Amino acid sequence: MAKTYQEVLSWASSFLEEQGKEGYAIQYVFLARKNWSKTDWLLNMRNEITSKEEEQLKKDLTALLANHPPQYLIGHEEFYGRQFQVTENTLIPRPETEELVELCLQTTSQDSLTVVDVGTGTGAIAITLKAERPTWQVASVDISEKALEVAKKNSQLLDVAVDFYLGDTLEPISEAIDVLISNPPYISQEEWDVMDESVRCFEPKTALFAENNGLAIYEKLAEQAKVKLKPQGKIFLEIGFQQGKAVQELFQKNFPEKTVEIRKDMAGKDRMIVVF
């Protein structure tokens, strides 16, 4: 008997939930592979699924059961209204980082500025800032050559020109900068056991973990920014929700003349530091 899309997806979703997984993930992957919107789904959900589509769905189901992030299965994720390619060499862009970008855009001049994104990964932060503020000169840095390859490809696909540098934090940047923005590695090794298994198994460790209770990269950025940030420059950082006070104190010590504030995300958790 022929099976509809709705029947097969409903079964797969329920099966995932019975295994303690997120049931919606299989529909997310299925719609992405079909390049269907929610409207397309509503128009087609009662149509018959082909054997080839069902075979692919079962492969995806097996991968999701093994904690494979759905974004890596389909190879992309949306960020600030744009589609970014992702691989296992890059972190998956997340909504909290969109909030960091929004904060930067809302509180920074649209004049011609020199902006540097450290730890660029997919290039989501740098490319988005350049797309939204064409007058800015945006550079992005990553210690991973493979991550930079992904970021460069995203820059080309989205037709947004960003300068890319291979290196550690601000070391490759020689000119004075107006804005430093970063979502750096900030997870301590002690947090390994409480992390989601899909993150532990698949996302790049160099983009996740930092020494000194997750503060090592912030310490390096603070020291470098004292030299490379212009007097009126600003800093925007994503942080772990338990790191607010520690990172605030670190940057206040290095920039006693500036205001250093903790900002919360939409969930009410400490998620950003802004120095201005």
Side-chain angles (χ1 to χ4, degrees):
M1 181 177 176
K3 291 174 283 189
T4 66
Y5 291 122
Q6 184 179 26
E7 289 170 335
V8 175
L9 266 293
S10 179
W11 167 82
S13 178
S14 296
F15 184 74
L16 280 175
E17 290 175 356
E18 288 170 2
Q19 307 303 314
K21 309 298 182 183
E22 297 285 356
Y24 72 87
I26 189 64
Q27 183 166 326
Y28 172 86
V29 173
F30 180 80
L31 294 183
R33 289 199 186 281
K34 294 286 290 181
N35 196 28
W36 278 0
S37 66
K38 290 182 179 179
T39 300
D40 294 323
W41 167 248
L42 292 172
L43 292 172
N44 291 279
M45 60 193 293
R46 292 180 177 83
N47 292 344
E48 182 180 342
I49 190 170
T50 67
S51 57
K52 185 177 181 181
E53 289 170 331
E54 191 169 4
E55 181 182 349
Q56 181 63 61
L57 184 144
K58 289 178 178 177
K59 288 180 180 178
D60 290 334
L61 188 63
T62 299
L64 292 171
L65 286 169
N67 299 304
H68 206 117
Q71 294 89 344
Y72 288 156
L73 290 179
I74 61 176
H76 59 78
E77 174 63 310
E78 183 176 303
F79 185 89
Y80 216 82
R82 298 177 179 85
Q83 206 74 263
F84 285 83
Q85 290 197 356
V86 298
T87 73
E88 292 185 17
N89 296 304
T90 67
L91 289 184
I92 298 165
R94 288 175 166 82
E96 294 85 356
T97 308
E98 289 182 314
E99 294 184 52
L100 181 72
V101 167
E102 180 68 11
L103 177 63
C104 179
L105 290 171
Q106 288 182 345
T107 61
T108 305
S109 166
Q110 297 190 35
D111 295 341
S112 178
L113 301 176
T114 300
V115 180
V116 178
D117 167 33
V118 169
T120 199
T122 61
I125 292 176
I127 293 168
T128 300
L129 291 178
K130 180 63 176 179
E132 297 293 324
R133 298 288 184 268
T135 54
W136 292 0
Q137 182 68 33
V138 181
S140 59
V141 182
D142 206 290
I143 200 168
S144 166
E145 190 168 358
K146 290 182 177 180
L148 275 183
E149 289 174 3
V150 176
K152 289 176 182 177
K153 189 169 185 180
N154 280 324
S155 173
Q156 294 166 357
L157 290 171
L158 292 166
D159 194 23
V160 178
V162 172
D163 297 320
F164 295 98
Y165 295 88
L166 178 65
D168 187 359
T169 52
L170 286 173
E171 289 176 2
I173 305 299
S174 58
E175 61 183 312
I177 63 178
D178 296 288
V179 176
L180 165 62
I181 187 168
S182 181
N183 175 22
Y186 57 69
I187 299 172
S188 68
Q189 292 293 338
E190 289 73 21
E191 295 176 89
W192 172 264
D193 291 335
V194 300
M195 292 178 65
D196 186 89
E197 194 168 349
S198 66
V199 177
R200 289 189 298 179
C201 294
F202 293 97
E203 298 200 51
K205 306 300 182 293
T206 55
L208 292 169
F209 295 101
E211 300 295 328
N212 193 18
N213 295 316
L215 298 175
I217 308 303
Y218 297 116
E219 292 170 339
K220 185 176 288 188
L221 288 173
E223 285 295 327
Q224 294 171 335
K226 283 197 298 185
V227 177
K228 300 188 177 184
L229 191 72
K230 292 180 182 178
Q232 302 303 315
K234 296 182 177 181
I235 302 173
F236 298 88
L237 304 167
E238 186 170 327
I239 59 172
F241 70 94
Q242 295 179 314
Q243 294 176 315
K245 289 296 183 183
V247 180
Q248 182 185 41
E249 290 173 3
L250 169 64
F251 277 84
Q252 195 68 78
K253 179 180 178 182
N254 283 275
F255 294 92
E257 76 287 359
K258 289 184 176 290
T259 300
V260 182
E261 292 183 350
I262 303 170
R263 299 291 180 92
K264 296 183 183 298
D265 62 17
M266 291 184 69
K269 294 182 178 180
D270 291 350
R271 186 62 65 185
M272 294 163 279
I273 291 288
V274 57
V275 183
F276 59 98

